[in-house]
Amino acid sequence: SVLALSGTLAPRVVERPVVEKVALTPVVSSPLLRDGDDLTRVVGRAATALVRLEVRRGGSVSTASGVVFRDDGLVLTAAHPLRGADAVFVVLADGRRLRGEVTGLDEVTDIAVVDVDAQDLPVAVLSEAPAEIGDLVVALGAADDSGQPSISAGLVTALDQRLALPDGPVL
């Protein structure tokens, strides 16, 4: 599989396109478990693309999880932990700690992109297979100080749901 995305975050919050090329590095994850995939094996493969973000705000530090989605250092994460950040550091699965730059942040979808200066990183590649009701899905979070990622599993219970927002629906 290959991750191929295009476009930008909301124009009011991003300075450049978020994705400009296709990730061609090794595939480490698939969000849907099909055909008897072993959950432990999927988590093991995906863990190499997970990162922990350390967000400095004033004198405090908070953490968040993210996932590398481009081999040249683009990380996808939630936007809300980054609001008002003075500095962001990204801790890779191999232990490297790199300064990150928020390059896109969308309040409506709560998605942000952080850029780190690194190359040839393992990436999580999204599946092109359509989700079906009853599919097992897994949410992974970055490893804590113990080195163990957080894991949550569930089932797809509905498809094509819309969230009504003042600016229009979000799929």
Side-chain angles (χ1 to χ4, degrees), residues 54-85:
E54 297 173 353
V55 182
R56 297 186 184 272
R57 191 177 298 102
S60 66
V61 177
S62 59
T63 60
S65 293
V67 63
V68 177
F69 74 96
R70 235 177 66 172
D71 64 344
D72 61 351
L74 287 186
V75 173
L76 186 65
T77 188
H80 69 273
L82 302 178
R83 287 186 202 113

PDB file of all heavy atoms in Angstrom, residues 54-85:
ATOM      1  N   GLU A  54       6.107  16.469  22.715  1.00  0.00           N
ATOM      2  CA  GLU A  54       6.244  17.208  23.964  1.00  0.00           C
ATOM      3  C   GLU A  54       5.964  18.658  23.622  1.00  0.00           C
ATOM      4  O   GLU A  54       6.676  19.269  22.830  1.00  0.00           O
ATOM      5  CB  GLU A  54       7.651  17.056  24.535  1.00  0.00           C
ATOM      6  CG  GLU A  54       7.991  15.619  24.901  1.00  0.00           C
ATOM      7  CD  GLU A  54       9.438  15.447  25.311  1.00  0.00           C
ATOM      8  OE1 GLU A  54      10.239  16.401  25.187  1.00  0.00           O
ATOM      9  OE2 GLU A  54       9.775  14.327  25.739  1.00  0.00           O
ATOM     10  N   VAL A  55       4.899  19.188  24.196  1.00  0.00           N
ATOM     11  CA  VAL A  55       4.438  20.533  23.870  1.00  0.00           C
ATOM     12  C   VAL A  55       4.738  21.448  25.055  1.00  0.00           C
ATOM     13  O   VAL A  55       4.240  21.227  26.158  1.00  0.00           O
ATOM     14  CB  VAL A  55       2.928  20.532  23.557  1.00  0.00           C
ATOM     15  CG1 VAL A  55       2.447  21.919  23.177  1.00  0.00           C
ATOM     16  CG2 VAL A  55       2.614  19.519  22.450  1.00  0.00           C
ATOM     17  N   ARG A  56       5.575  22.461  24.815  1.00  0.00           N
ATOM     18  CA  ARG A  56       5.931  23.421  25.866  1.00  0.00           C
ATOM     19  C   ARG A  56       5.051  24.653  25.735  1.00  0.00           C
ATOM     20  O   ARG A  56       4.936  25.232  24.665  1.00  0.00           O
ATOM     21  CB  ARG A  56       7.394  23.808  25.753  1.00  0.00           C
ATOM     22  CG  ARG A  56       8.304  22.626  25.964  1.00  0.00           C
ATOM     23  CD  ARG A  56       9.766  23.037  25.987  1.00  0.00           C
ATOM     24  NE  ARG A  56      10.611  21.883  26.107  1.00  0.00           N
ATOM     25  CZ  ARG A  56      10.982  21.343  27.267  1.00  0.00           C
ATOM     26  NH1 ARG A  56      10.575  21.888  28.388  1.00  0.00           N
ATOM     27  NH2 ARG A  56      11.752  20.282  27.287  1.00  0.00           N
ATOM     28  N   ARG A  57       4.452  25.016  26.855  1.00  0.00           N
ATOM     29  CA  ARG A  57       3.571  26.184  26.907  1.00  0.00           C
ATOM     30  C   ARG A  57       3.838  26.866  28.233  1.00  0.00           C
ATOM     31  O   ARG A  57       3.545  26.299  29.286  1.00  0.00           O
ATOM     32  CB  ARG A  57       2.119  25.716  26.809  1.00  0.00           C
ATOM     33  CG  ARG A  57       1.101  26.773  26.588  1.00  0.00           C
ATOM     34  CD  ARG A  57      -0.304  26.179  26.435  1.00  0.00           C
ATOM     35  NE  ARG A  57      -0.442  25.292  25.284  1.00  0.00           N
ATOM     36  CZ  ARG A  57      -0.454  23.952  25.318  1.00  0.00           C
ATOM     37  NH1 ARG A  57      -0.354  23.308  26.438  1.00  0.00           N
ATOM     38  NH2 ARG A  57      -0.602  23.252  24.211  1.00  0.00           N
ATOM     39  N   GLY A  58       4.449  28.063  28.178  1.00  0.00           N
ATOM     40  CA  GLY A  58       4.837  28.716  29.428  1.00  0.00           C
ATOM     41  C   GLY A  58       5.871  27.861  30.125  1.00  0.00           C
ATOM     42  O   GLY A  58       6.825  27.411  29.531  1.00  0.00           O
ATOM     43  N   GLY A  59       5.660  27.578  31.392  1.00  0.00           N
ATOM     44  CA  GLY A  59       6.593  26.735  32.138  1.00  0.00           C
ATOM     45  C   GLY A  59       6.189  25.284  32.206  1.00  0.00           C
ATOM     46  O   GLY A  59       6.815  24.496  32.897  1.00  0.00           O
ATOM     47  N   SER A  60       5.128  24.896  31.493  1.00  0.00           N
ATOM     48  CA  SER A  60       4.647  23.514  31.586  1.00  0.00           C
ATOM     49  C   SER A  60       4.888  22.748  30.293  1.00  0.00           C
ATOM     50  O   SER A  60       5.072  23.325  29.225  1.00  0.00           O
ATOM     51  CB  SER A  60       3.156  23.496  31.936  1.00  0.00           C
ATOM     52  OG  SER A  60       2.408  24.035  30.875  1.00  0.00           O
ATOM     53  N   VAL A  61       4.888  21.429  30.432  1.00  0.00           N
ATOM     54  CA  VAL A  61       5.048  20.526  29.287  1.00  0.00           C
ATOM     55  C   VAL A  61       3.903  19.525  29.301  1.00  0.00           C
ATOM     56  O   VAL A  61       3.619  18.916  30.332  1.00  0.00           O
ATOM     57  CB  VAL A  61       6.394  19.771  29.345  1.00  0.00           C
ATOM     58  CG1 VAL A  61       6.511  18.795  28.197  1.00  0.00           C
ATOM     59  CG2 VAL A  61       7.563  20.734  29.356  1.00  0.00           C
ATOM     60  N   SER A  62       3.231  19.378  28.164  1.00  0.00           N
ATOM     61  CA  SER A  62       2.209  18.344  28.018  1.00  0.00           C
ATOM     62  C   SER A  62       2.633  17.431  26.875  1.00  0.00           C
ATOM     63  O   SER A  62       3.531  17.763  26.102  1.00  0.00           O
ATOM     64  CB  SER A  62       0.832  18.966  27.751  1.00  0.00           C
ATOM     65  OG  SER A  62       0.865  19.738  26.575  1.00  0.00           O
ATOM     66  N   THR A  63       1.998  16.277  26.780  1.00  0.00           N
ATOM     67  CA  THR A  63       2.351  15.328  25.725  1.00  0.00           C
ATOM     68  C   THR A  63       1.141  14.997  24.876  1.00  0.00           C
ATOM     69  O   THR A  63      -0.004  15.150  25.300  1.00  0.00           O
ATOM     70  CB  THR A  63       2.932  14.024  26.309  1.00  0.00           C
ATOM     71  OG1 THR A  63       1.962  13.422  27.151  1.00  0.00           O
ATOM     72  CG2 THR A  63       4.214  14.292  27.080  1.00  0.00           C
ATOM     73  N   ALA A  64       1.433  14.538  23.678  1.00  0.00           N
ATOM     74  CA  ALA A  64       0.404  14.090  22.740  1.00  0.00           C
ATOM     75  C   ALA A  64       1.020  12.992  21.883  1.00  0.00           C
ATOM     76  O   ALA A  64       2.236  12.793  21.896  1.00  0.00           O
ATOM     77  CB  ALA A  64      -0.073  15.249  21.864  1.00  0.00           C
ATOM     78  N   SER A  65       0.191  12.289  21.147  1.00  0.00           N
ATOM     79  CA  SER A  65       0.655  11.256  20.227  1.00  0.00           C
ATOM     80  C   SER A  65       0.531  11.749  18.800  1.00  0.00           C
ATOM     81  O   SER A  65      -0.296  12.605  18.495  1.00  0.00           O
ATOM     82  CB  SER A  65      -0.184   9.984  20.370  1.00  0.00           C
ATOM     83  OG  SER A  65       0.031   9.387  21.613  1.00  0.00           O
ATOM     84  N   GLY A  66       1.329  11.171  17.936  1.00  0.00           N
ATOM     85  CA  GLY A  66       1.240  11.465  16.521  1.00  0.00           C
ATOM     86  C   GLY A  66       1.724  10.272  15.729  1.00  0.00           C
ATOM     87  O   GLY A  66       2.201   9.285  16.298  1.00  0.00           O
ATOM     88  N   VAL A  67       1.606  10.381  14.418  1.00  0.00           N
ATOM     89  CA  VAL A  67       2.060   9.314  13.541  1.00  0.00           C
ATOM     90  C   VAL A  67       2.781   9.934  12.351  1.00  0.00           C
ATOM     91  O   VAL A  67       2.333  10.927  11.777  1.00  0.00           O
ATOM     92  CB  VAL A  67       0.879   8.412  13.090  1.00  0.00           C
ATOM     93  CG1 VAL A  67      -0.141   9.192  12.279  1.00  0.00           C
ATOM     94  CG2 VAL A  67       1.372   7.202  12.329  1.00  0.00           C
ATOM     95  N   VAL A  68       3.922   9.354  11.987  1.00  0.00           N
ATOM     96  CA  VAL A  68       4.669   9.809  10.817  1.00  0.00           C
ATOM     97  C   VAL A  68       3.925   9.317   9.586  1.00  0.00           C
ATOM     98  O   VAL A  68       3.656   8.125   9.448  1.00  0.00           O
ATOM     99  CB  VAL A  68       6.110   9.249  10.821  1.00  0.00           C
ATOM    100  CG1 VAL A  68       6.856   9.674   9.557  1.00  0.00           C
ATOM    101  CG2 VAL A  68       6.858   9.688  12.071  1.00  0.00           C
ATOM    102  N   PHE A  69       3.552  10.250   8.705  1.00  0.00           N
ATOM    103  CA  PHE A  69       2.846   9.837   7.491  1.00  0.00           C
ATOM    104  C   PHE A  69       3.615  10.179   6.227  1.00  0.00           C
ATOM    105  O   PHE A  69       3.162   9.865   5.134  1.00  0.00           O
ATOM    106  CB  PHE A  69       1.416  10.395   7.447  1.00  0.00           C
ATOM    107  CG  PHE A  69       1.319  11.864   7.146  1.00  0.00           C
ATOM    108  CD1 PHE A  69       1.082  12.304   5.859  1.00  0.00           C
ATOM    109  CD2 PHE A  69       1.459  12.797   8.156  1.00  0.00           C
ATOM    110  CE1 PHE A  69       0.975  13.658   5.583  1.00  0.00           C
ATOM    111  CE2 PHE A  69       1.343  14.145   7.896  1.00  0.00           C
ATOM    112  CZ  PHE A  69       1.105  14.582   6.605  1.00  0.00           C
ATOM    113  N   ARG A  70       4.766  10.814   6.371  1.00  0.00           N
ATOM    114  CA  ARG A  70       5.645  11.070   5.227  1.00  0.00           C
ATOM    115  C   ARG A  70       7.064  10.828   5.670  1.00  0.00           C
ATOM    116  O   ARG A  70       7.469  11.267   6.742  1.00  0.00           O
ATOM    117  CB  ARG A  70       5.468  12.503   4.736  1.00  0.00           C
ATOM    118  CG  ARG A  70       5.114  12.533   3.272  1.00  0.00           C
ATOM    119  CD  ARG A  70       4.864  13.875   2.731  1.00  0.00           C
ATOM    120  NE  ARG A  70       6.017  14.742   2.722  1.00  0.00           N
ATOM    121  CZ  ARG A  70       6.037  15.919   2.137  1.00  0.00           C
ATOM    122  NH1 ARG A  70       4.955  16.356   1.528  1.00  0.00           N
ATOM    123  NH2 ARG A  70       7.102  16.670   2.168  1.00  0.00           N
ATOM    124  N   ASP A  71       7.831  10.123   4.853  1.00  0.00           N
ATOM    125  CA  ASP A  71       9.165   9.689   5.263  1.00  0.00           C
ATOM    126  C   ASP A  71      10.162  10.823   5.468  1.00  0.00           C
ATOM    127  O   ASP A  71      11.212  10.630   6.048  1.00  0.00           O
ATOM    128  CB  ASP A  71       9.722   8.665   4.275  1.00  0.00           C
ATOM    129  CG  ASP A  71       9.940   9.224   2.883  1.00  0.00           C
ATOM    130  OD1 ASP A  71       9.409  10.303   2.557  1.00  0.00           O
ATOM    131  OD2 ASP A  71      10.645   8.549   2.106  1.00  0.00           O
ATOM    132  N   ASP A  72       9.826  12.036   5.021  1.00  0.00           N
ATOM    133  CA  ASP A  72      10.726  13.165   5.231  1.00  0.00           C
ATOM    134  C   ASP A  72      10.327  13.998   6.448  1.00  0.00           C
ATOM    135  O   ASP A  72      10.743  15.140   6.591  1.00  0.00           O
ATOM    136  CB  ASP A  72      10.830  14.031   3.980  1.00  0.00           C
ATOM    137  CG  ASP A  72       9.496  14.642   3.567  1.00  0.00           C
ATOM    138  OD1 ASP A  72       8.457  14.274   4.127  1.00  0.00           O
ATOM    139  OD2 ASP A  72       9.508  15.493   2.667  1.00  0.00           O
ATOM    140  N   GLY A  73       9.545  13.429   7.357  1.00  0.00           N
ATOM    141  CA  GLY A  73       9.343  14.048   8.651  1.00  0.00           C
ATOM    142  C   GLY A  73       8.035  14.735   8.918  1.00  0.00           C
ATOM    143  O   GLY A  73       7.943  15.504   9.875  1.00  0.00           O
ATOM    144  N   LEU A  74       6.979  14.477   8.153  1.00  0.00           N
ATOM    145  CA  LEU A  74       5.682  15.068   8.474  1.00  0.00           C
ATOM    146  C   LEU A  74       4.915  14.137   9.407  1.00  0.00           C
ATOM    147  O   LEU A  74       4.810  12.940   9.163  1.00  0.00           O
ATOM    148  CB  LEU A  74       4.859  15.351   7.221  1.00  0.00           C
ATOM    149  CG  LEU A  74       5.324  16.532   6.379  1.00  0.00           C
ATOM    150  CD1 LEU A  74       4.341  16.802   5.244  1.00  0.00           C
ATOM    151  CD2 LEU A  74       5.518  17.787   7.210  1.00  0.00           C
ATOM    152  N   VAL A  75       4.396  14.724  10.470  1.00  0.00           N
ATOM    153  CA  VAL A  75       3.696  13.992  11.523  1.00  0.00           C
ATOM    154  C   VAL A  75       2.261  14.501  11.592  1.00  0.00           C
ATOM    155  O   VAL A  75       2.024  15.710  11.616  1.00  0.00           O
ATOM    156  CB  VAL A  75       4.402  14.220  12.876  1.00  0.00           C
ATOM    157  CG1 VAL A  75       3.607  13.618  14.025  1.00  0.00           C
ATOM    158  CG2 VAL A  75       5.822  13.668  12.830  1.00  0.00           C
ATOM    159  N   LEU A  76       1.312  13.585  11.640  1.00  0.00           N
ATOM    160  CA  LEU A  76      -0.102  13.914  11.789  1.00  0.00           C
ATOM    161  C   LEU A  76      -0.471  13.751  13.260  1.00  0.00           C
ATOM    162  O   LEU A  76      -0.120  12.741  13.890  1.00  0.00           O
ATOM    163  CB  LEU A  76      -0.938  12.974  10.924  1.00  0.00           C
ATOM    164  CG  LEU A  76      -2.430  13.239  10.822  1.00  0.00           C
ATOM    165  CD1 LEU A  76      -2.690  14.569  10.129  1.00  0.00           C
ATOM    166  CD2 LEU A  76      -3.101  12.107  10.054  1.00  0.00           C
ATOM    167  N   THR A  77      -1.164  14.739  13.827  1.00  0.00           N
ATOM    168  CA  THR A  77      -1.552  14.700  15.225  1.00  0.00           C
ATOM    169  C   THR A  77      -2.834  15.494  15.422  1.00  0.00           C
ATOM    170  O   THR A  77      -3.371  16.051  14.466  1.00  0.00           O
ATOM    171  CB  THR A  77      -0.410  15.253  16.121  1.00  0.00           C
ATOM    172  OG1 THR A  77      -0.751  15.032  17.498  1.00  0.00           O
ATOM    173  CG2 THR A  77      -0.153  16.722  15.868  1.00  0.00           C
ATOM    174  N   ALA A  78      -3.303  15.549  16.642  1.00  0.00           N
ATOM    175  CA  ALA A  78      -4.475  16.362  16.969  1.00  0.00           C
ATOM    176  C   ALA A  78      -4.039  17.817  17.114  1.00  0.00           C
ATOM    177  O   ALA A  78      -2.923  18.110  17.546  1.00  0.00           O
ATOM    178  CB  ALA A  78      -5.111  15.868  18.256  1.00  0.00           C
ATOM    179  N   ALA A  79      -4.937  18.728  16.776  1.00  0.00           N
ATOM    180  CA  ALA A  79      -4.620  20.155  16.836  1.00  0.00           C
ATOM    181  C   ALA A  79      -4.698  20.714  18.252  1.00  0.00           C
ATOM    182  O   ALA A  79      -3.895  21.564  18.639  1.00  0.00           O
ATOM    183  CB  ALA A  79      -5.555  20.935  15.915  1.00  0.00           C
ATOM    184  N   HIS A  80      -5.666  20.249  19.035  1.00  0.00           N
ATOM    185  CA  HIS A  80      -5.907  20.905  20.330  1.00  0.00           C
ATOM    186  C   HIS A  80      -4.713  20.897  21.283  1.00  0.00           C
ATOM    187  O   HIS A  80      -4.519  21.869  21.998  1.00  0.00           O
ATOM    188  CB  HIS A  80      -7.187  20.358  21.001  1.00  0.00           C
ATOM    189  CG  HIS A  80      -7.094  18.951  21.464  1.00  0.00           C
ATOM    190  ND1 HIS A  80      -7.376  17.876  20.651  1.00  0.00           N
ATOM    191  CD2 HIS A  80      -6.737  18.441  22.671  1.00  0.00           C
ATOM    192  CE1 HIS A  80      -7.198  16.761  21.326  1.00  0.00           C
ATOM    193  NE2 HIS A  80      -6.813  17.076  22.561  1.00  0.00           N
ATOM    194  N   PRO A  81      -3.859  19.874  21.316  1.00  0.00           N
ATOM    195  CA  PRO A  81      -2.716  19.954  22.236  1.00  0.00           C
ATOM    196  C   PRO A  81      -1.673  20.996  21.818  1.00  0.00           C
ATOM    197  O   PRO A  81      -0.838  21.396  22.616  1.00  0.00           O
ATOM    198  CB  PRO A  81      -2.091  18.561  22.188  1.00  0.00           C
ATOM    199  CG  PRO A  81      -3.103  17.683  21.562  1.00  0.00           C
ATOM    200  CD  PRO A  81      -3.935  18.567  20.681  1.00  0.00           C
ATOM    201  N   LEU A  82      -1.729  21.446  20.569  1.00  0.00           N
ATOM    202  CA  LEU A  82      -0.718  22.369  20.053  1.00  0.00           C
ATOM    203  C   LEU A  82      -1.113  23.830  20.177  1.00  0.00           C
ATOM    204  O   LEU A  82      -0.278  24.712  19.951  1.00  0.00           O
ATOM    205  CB  LEU A  82      -0.416  22.044  18.584  1.00  0.00           C
ATOM    206  CG  LEU A  82       0.062  20.622  18.317  1.00  0.00           C
ATOM    207  CD1 LEU A  82       0.284  20.407  16.834  1.00  0.00           C
ATOM    208  CD2 LEU A  82       1.308  20.301  19.107  1.00  0.00           C
ATOM    209  N   ARG A  83      -2.354  24.109  20.520  1.00  0.00           N
ATOM    210  CA  ARG A  83      -2.804  25.505  20.640  1.00  0.00           C
ATOM    211  C   ARG A  83      -1.966  26.246  21.671  1.00  0.00           C
ATOM    212  O   ARG A  83      -1.810  25.792  22.796  1.00  0.00           O
ATOM    213  CB  ARG A  83      -4.267  25.564  21.037  1.00  0.00           C
ATOM    214  CG  ARG A  83      -5.189  25.184  19.917  1.00  0.00           C
ATOM    215  CD  ARG A  83      -6.656  25.406  20.303  1.00  0.00           C
ATOM    216  NE  ARG A  83      -7.474  24.575  19.442  1.00  0.00           N
ATOM    217  CZ  ARG A  83      -8.183  23.531  19.859  1.00  0.00           C
ATOM    218  NH1 ARG A  83      -8.230  23.201  21.127  1.00  0.00           N
ATOM    219  NH2 ARG A  83      -8.895  22.833  19.001  1.00  0.00           N
ATOM    220  N   GLY A  84      -1.422  27.377  21.269  1.00  0.00           N
ATOM    221  CA  GLY A  84      -0.652  28.216  22.178  1.00  0.00           C
ATOM    222  C   GLY A  84       0.714  27.676  22.530  1.00  0.00           C
ATOM    223  O   GLY A  84       1.335  28.133  23.495  1.00  0.00           O
ATOM    224  N   ALA A  85       1.219  26.716  21.777  1.00  0.00           N
ATOM    225  CA  ALA A  85       2.518  26.117  22.085  1.00  0.00           C
ATOM    226  C   ALA A  85       3.652  27.103  21.829  1.00  0.00           C
ATOM    227  O   ALA A  85       3.654  27.816  20.827  1.00  0.00           O
ATOM    228  CB  ALA A  85       2.728  24.859  21.256  1.00  0.00           C
TER     229      ALA A  85
END
